[in-house]
């Protein structure tokens, strides 16, 4: 009796690619958190390391993927811009408000794409989600736009009403897990609209605001 076909396990190359992608997505933000605690809560020094880690992620992306994604470019420019202002003016307001502006701008871009009938995520991530239908791209763009609006409001509420320690804790234990859960929650919908199984195993995570 023939054994039923089983799903192929990931090759070492695919596993390495998934780890690299995770480092690119989350590495700079985790470096920021670690530096904050290792430097005795020096947010200026931590911001400098955040900027350096972001540049390193962009270089690693160029080496490993042959390109730097538009989303990583966008995130990198914002980190360097607002991080530079934080260090130059010794005012952590800039690095705290950066996620709000990042989320709001990305949400605005996604809404504009939906309004003009061209889901922006398809332009940016088309190769990452093979098989996804036009309807799937529209729903995914809509979902992420709504998510980013909520995240922008949440960031504003937290940084304006709490301490720096609490804000960083929120980003690590609130915003980051929420993003991971939201990305995973979209997978059943994406598979219903044509996404293949392999792509579903590594859902896209935007660079963290």
């Amino acid at each position: 009796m023939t054994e039923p076909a089983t799903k192929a396990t990931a090759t070492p190359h695919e596993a390495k690619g998934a780890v690299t992608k995770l480092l690119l997505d989350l590495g700079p933000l985790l470096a920021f958190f670690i530096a904050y605690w290792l430097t005795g809560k020096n947010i200026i020094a931590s911001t400098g390391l955040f900027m350096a880690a972001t540049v390193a992620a962009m270089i690693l992306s160029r080496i490993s993927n042959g390109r730097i994604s538009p989303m990583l470019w966008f995130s990198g420019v914002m980190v360097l811009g607002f991080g530079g202002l934080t260090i130059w003016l010794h005012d952590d307001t800039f690095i705290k408000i950066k996620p709000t502006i990042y989320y709001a701008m990305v949400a605005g871009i996604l809404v504009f794409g939906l309004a003009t009938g061209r889901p922006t995520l398809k332009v940016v991530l088309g190769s990452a989600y093979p098989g996804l239908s036009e309807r799937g791209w529209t729903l995914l763009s809509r979902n992420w736009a709504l998510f980013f609006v909520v995240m922008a409001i949440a960031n504003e509420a937290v940084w304006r009403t709490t301490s720096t320690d609490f804000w960083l804790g929120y980003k690590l234990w609130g915003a980051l897990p929420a993003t991971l859960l939201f990305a995973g929650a979209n997978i059943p919908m994406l598979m219903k609209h044509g996404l293949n199984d392999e792509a579903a195993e590594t859902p896209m995570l935007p660079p963290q605001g």
Side-chain angles (χ1 to χ4, degrees), residues 135-155:
R135 177 62 175 165
W137 282 114
T138 297
L139 292 174
L140 183 65
S141 296
R142 180 204 64 185
N143 292 353
W144 277 110
L146 292 172
F147 178 78
F148 284 135
V149 168
V150 171
M151 294 298 285
I153 294 171
N155 187 71

Side-chain angles (χ1 to χ4, degrees), residues 47-94:
T47 298
L49 185 59
F50 186 26
M51 294 167 66
T54 299
V55 172
M58 296 172 75
I59 293 172
L60 180 59
S61 177
R62 181 68 177 84
I63 293 171
S64 61
N65 301 325
R67 63 190 287 270
I68 300 173
S69 71
M71 289 189 73
L72 188 54
W73 268 117
F74 180 61
S75 178
V77 168
M78 294 204 70
V79 168
L80 295 178
F82 283 91
L85 287 172
T86 298
I87 294 172
W88 182 31
L89 300 175
H90 282 258
D91 186 346
D92 63 8
T93 299
F94 294 101

Side-chain angles (χ1 to χ4, degrees), residues 80-182:
L80 295 178
F82 283 91
L85 287 172
T86 298
I87 294 172
W88 182 31
L89 300 175
H90 282 258
D91 186 346
D92 63 8
T93 299
F94 294 101
I95 202 64
K96 289 179 178 179
I97 202 174
K98 192 270 298 180
T100 301
I101 296 175
Y102 170 82
Y103 291 135
M105 289 183 69
V106 174
I109 292 170
L110 294 177
V111 169
F112 177 78
L114 290 171
T116 56
R118 293 176 296 180
T120 312
L121 282 182
K122 184 178 180 181
V123 177
V124 177
L125 300 170
S127 61
Y129 281 160
L132 189 61
S133 67
E134 290 295 324
R135 177 62 175 165
W137 282 114
T138 297
L139 292 174
L140 183 65
S141 296
R142 180 204 64 185
N143 292 353
W144 277 110
L146 292 172
F147 178 78
F148 284 135
V149 168
V150 171
M151 294 298 285
I153 294 171
N155 187 71
E156 278 296 287
V158 172
W159 87 260
R160 289 182 182 276
T161 60
T162 63
S163 66
T164 298
D165 284 5
F166 188 93
W167 174 72
L168 282 170
Y170 155 75
K171 286 184 67 63
L172 180 59
W173 302 112
L176 182 54
T179 303
L180 292 167
L181 289 172
F182 186 79

